[in-house]
Amino acid sequence: MDETESTNYALESEMGKQEIAQGRRRKGGLITMPFIIANEAFEKVSSYGLQAYMIIYLMKYYGMSSTKGTNLCFLWTAATNFTPTIGAFLADSYLGRFLTIALGSLISLLGTILLWLTAMIPKLRPPMCNMYAPPCTSASSSQYGALISAFTLISIGAGGVRSSSLAFGADQLDKRDDPNNKRVLESFFGWYYVSATVSVLIAVTGIVYIQDHKGYKIGFGIPAILMFLSAFLFLLASPFYIKLPVTRSLFTGLAQVIVVSFKNRKLALPPPNSAWYHSQKGSLYTIPSDRLRFLNKACIIRNPEDVTSDGIAANPWNLCTVEQVEELKILIRVIPLWSTGIMLSLNTSQTTFPILQASTMDRHLTSNFKIPAGSYTVFLLIGLTGWIFIYDRILIPFASKMRGKPVRISTKVRMGIGLFISCISMVVAGTVEHFRRKKAIKEGFLNNPQAVLDMSAMWLVPQYLLFGLADAFNAIGQTEFYYSEFPKTMSSIGSSLFGLGMAVANLLASLVLSIVDKYTKGEGKESWVSSNINKGHYDYYYWLLAVLSFINLIYFFFCSWAYGPYVDRIHENTVEEDQPAENVFKPGTPNRVF
């Protein structure tokens, strides 16, 4: 290619870039936000609305015991919380965010329609029975298969939508279009989380109320309609979206570090500050840190041929960058602290038993209005959002004014406070159930779990408020901790870790429940989690969870101590109280000590 041809080629390339840029400017922006937010909002209303009251449907229409039905709900919730992790991997590696959300919306729509059909078509479920007076007719293999298929499709669809919705919305706010892009992003994130909270509120109040008063044919039909609107509105705005191409998968990069470090396990490590470490061009990570040194072997350049003239690894499965190695190290270090939050999620997942408790208590607020048993979860949300407002708008500004400088509680301290409150919440739950059961026996309702006691269901509110308070401290603290510790390239993993913890918690909750049911019943003796709530001992079950929560709190203290000081990337100018000032560093510093 001569000089003239090179010049023409460069001009054509530049014009092409400008045309692409102009084309992208015509797409995206705030006009797409209502469609993206509505997509996940409707999906959440549909999904949470179906989950909130499902235990009653399973016991009443499928003849399941409280243990079996609760276990199935745990597994369904676990799958719904886990699939976004898979969805994020597929979106980043193969499908792209738009296609992942679109497919997720359509798959979830199929699942809600199938679940609605189980309520509409009698042959898809066994005959209705008295859930408090077993035995009931069991579901056939085909009937059970239809139910499980519906749950599976809804979980897969939720994974597709929730894994990419937030990131896809951020993609639409192109920085070149708005010099104040940071403020636009902040506004989007705010509206996004507001819509998520409102969606859950609508689900546990409006949808549950309809199911309780109008039946499941209408109660399942409305979520199906909402899911149709979710998919329709999202696809309607397809011509206006910015659809970024698939980039390198972070999950693949982490896997490459594990594979290459194993391949190079017999290699000796080069001396410190050696030039034989492969660093990504332009990266501040030039040499690996000293901790978890065996992983450093993944970025050793064995031969000059391993690196191309452009400074890129010829085969990424034979040579990784220092940045990839450090990303994996951060993840490994965070895992112990992440695991401490599983117990809190296990406690807050105990929503089916309070529904059974509330159904035996007086739920009237007025003589004409009665709160549905499945709607008491709203007090958890009230506790969560109420504390966030008080903490962010009242306590912190007041404390900062009193001390004359910015004050905040470090993320690890907030995580610990949340775990402590979670422990107290289970003690309170067990105490309330102890008195509820005692009153039921005193009034002669031992064999009549359907009887409504002369005891207000508002006694359940304190435990829900404590659940919400624990979430406000620990769950939000966790999310902020991951965001502050992980580099920007790992923000997708950080955002999915809490959901992954919830999925693990749901599986463990099912395991704990099964063990308790198996080992607490005997000849002529009901288990602690009997379908007859008055014969069972749900109070013992709650207190068992309180003991496990206390052990987990001690485990958290050890993990927090072992993790040591950390750097808050969100508040770079704030030195944490548990961190010496000399440990403060700027994000991306290559010699960071892990």
Side-chain angles (χ1 to χ4, degrees), residues 309-509:
S309 59
D310 296 329
I312 301 173
N315 185 348
W317 291 97
N318 288 329
L319 177 63
C320 300
T321 64
V322 175
E323 186 176 24
Q324 285 176 270
V325 171
E326 294 306 306
E327 287 172 349
L328 181 58
K329 287 182 180 181
I330 295 173
L331 183 61
I332 292 174
R333 286 198 66 213
V334 161
I335 285 176
L337 272 173
W338 164 79
S339 67
T340 64
I342 293 175
M343 190 66 216
L344 179 137
S345 295
L346 191 154
N347 289 343
T348 54
S349 68
Q350 307 295 325
T351 55
T352 55
F353 291 149
I355 290 175
L356 297 180
Q357 290 174 271
S359 64
T360 69
M361 303 169 77
D362 182 9
R363 293 177 278 122
H364 284 92
L365 279 185
T366 67
S367 58
N368 297 321
F369 179 75
K370 183 169 65 172
I371 301 176
S375 292
Y376 280 83
T377 311
V378 72
F379 291 105
L380 186 154
L381 300 173
I382 290 174
L384 189 151
T385 54
W387 173 252
I388 291 174
F389 176 81
I390 293 171
Y391 172 80
D392 192 52
R393 299 296 180 181
I394 300 177
L395 290 183
I396 293 302
F398 179 75
S400 299
K401 185 176 180 180
M402 291 293 293
R403 294 191 62 180
K405 61 179 181 179
V407 173
R408 59 184 294 270
I409 304 175
S410 70
T411 53
K412 285 200 294 184
V413 170
R414 276 183 279 158
M415 290 163 66
I417 293 174
L419 294 179
F420 175 74
I421 295 175
S422 177
C423 179
I424 299 300
S425 69
M426 299 317 297
V427 174
V428 171
T431 303
V432 171
E433 170 56 18
H434 177 76
F435 285 104
R436 189 212 63 81
R437 181 178 182 274
K438 186 176 180 180
K439 188 172 183 63
I441 295 174
K442 184 178 179 181
E443 295 181 6
F445 296 139
L446 180 63
N447 296 311
N448 185 12
Q450 290 178 282
V452 177
L453 307 179
D454 184 21
M455 180 178 181
S456 174
M458 296 302 288
W459 282 103
L460 298 174
V461 171
Q463 68 195 53
Y464 275 115
L465 292 176
L466 287 171
F467 287 158
L469 197 58
D471 256 353
F473 274 103
N474 185 272
I476 296 175
Q478 274 193 69
T479 304
E480 186 176 333
F481 175 75
Y482 302 144
Y483 191 82
S484 66
E485 283 297 273
F486 290 173
K488 189 175 181 180
T489 54
M490 297 184 70
S491 58
S492 59
I493 284 186
S495 62
S496 65
L497 272 180
F498 183 71
L500 183 61
M502 291 177 64
V504 175
N506 292 134
L507 294 175
L508 287 178

Side-chain angles (χ1 to χ4, degrees), residues 278-286 309-313 321-323:
H278 176 48
S279 179
Q280 183 176 331
K281 188 175 181 181
S283 173
L284 294 178
Y285 290 94
T286 56
S309 59
D310 296 329
I312 301 173
T321 64
V322 175
E323 186 176 24

Side-chain angles (χ1 to χ4, degrees), residues 20 26 53 378 393 583:
I20 292 173
R26 289 194 295 267
Y53 216 48
V378 72
R393 299 296 180 181
N583 286 338

Side-chain angles (χ1 to χ4, degrees), residues 127-189:
M128 187 175 68
C129 71
N130 185 345
M131 63 182 184
Y132 298 110
C136 298
T137 304
S138 300
S140 65
S141 298
S142 59
Q143 291 170 337
Y144 197 68
L147 179 69
I148 299 301
S149 296
F151 287 169
T152 302
L153 290 171
I154 292 172
S155 294
I156 293 173
V161 174
R162 299 178 192 180
S163 66
S164 303
S165 184
L166 183 62
F168 185 67
D171 290 343
Q172 310 309 309
L173 304 176
D174 192 20
K175 293 182 180 180
R176 290 170 299 183
D177 292 341
D178 188 353
N180 300 315
N181 187 69
K182 185 176 180 181
R183 181 68 188 90
V184 175
L185 279 173
E186 182 182 349
S187 178
F188 166 65
F189 290 145

Side-chain angles (χ1 to χ4, degrees), residues 26-41:
R26 289 194 295 267
K27 295 177 179 289
L30 293 176
I31 192 174
T32 60
M33 294 302 104
F35 299 95
I36 296 173
I37 292 176
N39 171 253
E40 183 161 358

